[in-house]
Amino acid sequence: MIKNIHAIQIILASSSPRRRELLTQLGLNFLVMPSNEEEHYQSDTPEEIVKELALLKASSVAKSFALPLSNTLIIGADTIVVLDGEVLGKPTDKQDAIAMLTKLQGRTHQVFTGVSLLMFEYNHQCKTNTFVACTKVFVNEMSLKEIQAYVESGEPMDKAGSYGIQGVFAKHIGRIEGDYSNVMGLPIATLYEILKKI
């Protein structure tokens, strides 16, 4: 087993600045190596989709190394927004973002994040730990003018569900049930508890 989390190499398989910020809050030193793998999935439930994609990202980064890994932890993560069973990904354009936000306003939706930990020990053996966090988010009613103004800010264009809870959209969030950091893309409280057991 890996004895000291601060003595191993940690790799975040994500280009998300929000995930980098959250992982930094745990006081860890890490490298950022985004996965270039296409995000195709076979699963059909939100929980399984994010688990599959998180593992795909972490595994893709692991495979990019020419030599077998040891004493290394790779963290992959994927987040989706789900409304009435429909997965809302990143918007393709401004009109798509407006359409998503129109669906979300005045209603409660779920945010699922899957996290996959690939732990390569000294003997090159890999242990995998994959988990899912879910947070319910209620968005206050918004006028079309408010939605259009938010989309014009550019903030929603690289975010699942077309919004970022930590940005200017925060004023439209009525309440949440669950982990706030999960909505940002990485449930750090759960991650921290798991890392303590490594």
Side-chain angles (χ1 to χ4, degrees):
M1 289 290 289
I2 298 170
K3 299 299 183 183
N4 186 341
I5 193 66
H6 294 284
I8 68 172
Q9 175 174 253
I10 301 174
I11 298 172
L12 175 63
S14 173
S15 60
S16 166
R18 276 81 58 188
R19 292 193 181 110
R20 290 201 301 268
E21 176 187 340
L22 289 166
L23 196 55
T24 299
Q25 290 178 13
L26 294 183
L28 301 175
N29 295 317
F30 58 92
L31 301 175
V32 174
M33 294 184 64
S35 166
N36 295 319
E37 197 79 20
E38 289 291 329
E39 296 186 13
H40 297 301
Y41 56 85
Q42 304 297 320
S43 303
D44 55 8
T45 64
E47 295 90 340
E48 293 303 316
I49 289 171
V50 290
K51 284 170 65 176
E52 181 179 340
L53 291 176
L55 180 57
L56 177 71
K57 292 178 180 180
S59 298
S60 173
V61 169
K63 292 174 184 175
S64 68
F65 288 87
L67 298 175
L69 291 169
S70 66
N71 199 31
T72 299
L73 170 65
I74 300 178
I75 303 173
D78 191 80
T79 301
I80 59 173
V81 170
V82 178
L83 177 67
D84 294 337
E86 179 186 0
V87 175
L88 304 180
K90 297 177 182 178
T92 55
D93 53 32
K94 290 182 178 180
Q95 288 305 312
D96 192 29
I98 290 173
M100 283 191 206
L101 293 168
T102 300
K103 290 179 181 179
L104 294 175
Q105 62 89 26
R107 303 189 62 194
T108 298
H109 63 273
Q110 294 80 41
V111 178
F112 293 86
T113 297
V115 179
S116 187
L117 307 177
L118 299 187
M119 295 168 283
F120 293 88
E121 301 179 354
Y122 288 105
N123 58 5
H124 307 301
Q125 294 295 311
C126 178
K127 292 187 177 180
T128 303
N129 189 326
T130 302
F131 65 91
V132 178
C134 177
T135 302
K136 292 182 179 179
V137 181
F138 176 77
V139 179
N140 291 333
E141 292 186 2
M142 301 172 65
S143 67
L144 179 58
K145 184 177 180 180
E146 287 175 315
I147 291 173
Q148 290 173 330
Y150 177 61
V151 171
E152 285 302 320
S153 74
E155 184 179 278
M157 302 314 295
D158 66 338
K159 297 174 178 63
S162 300
Y163 76 91
I165 195 171
Q166 74 284 359
V168 297
F169 196 75
K171 63 178 176 281
H172 299 298
I173 302 295
R175 62 183 179 274
I176 71 168
E177 294 178 20
D179 187 341
Y180 175 87
S181 66
N182 176 54
V183 187
M184 289 180 64
L186 195 65
I188 56 172
T190 304
L191 177 59
Y192 177 66
E193 292 302 315
I194 291 175
L195 292 179
K196 285 198 300 184
K197 298 174 183 177
I198 295 177

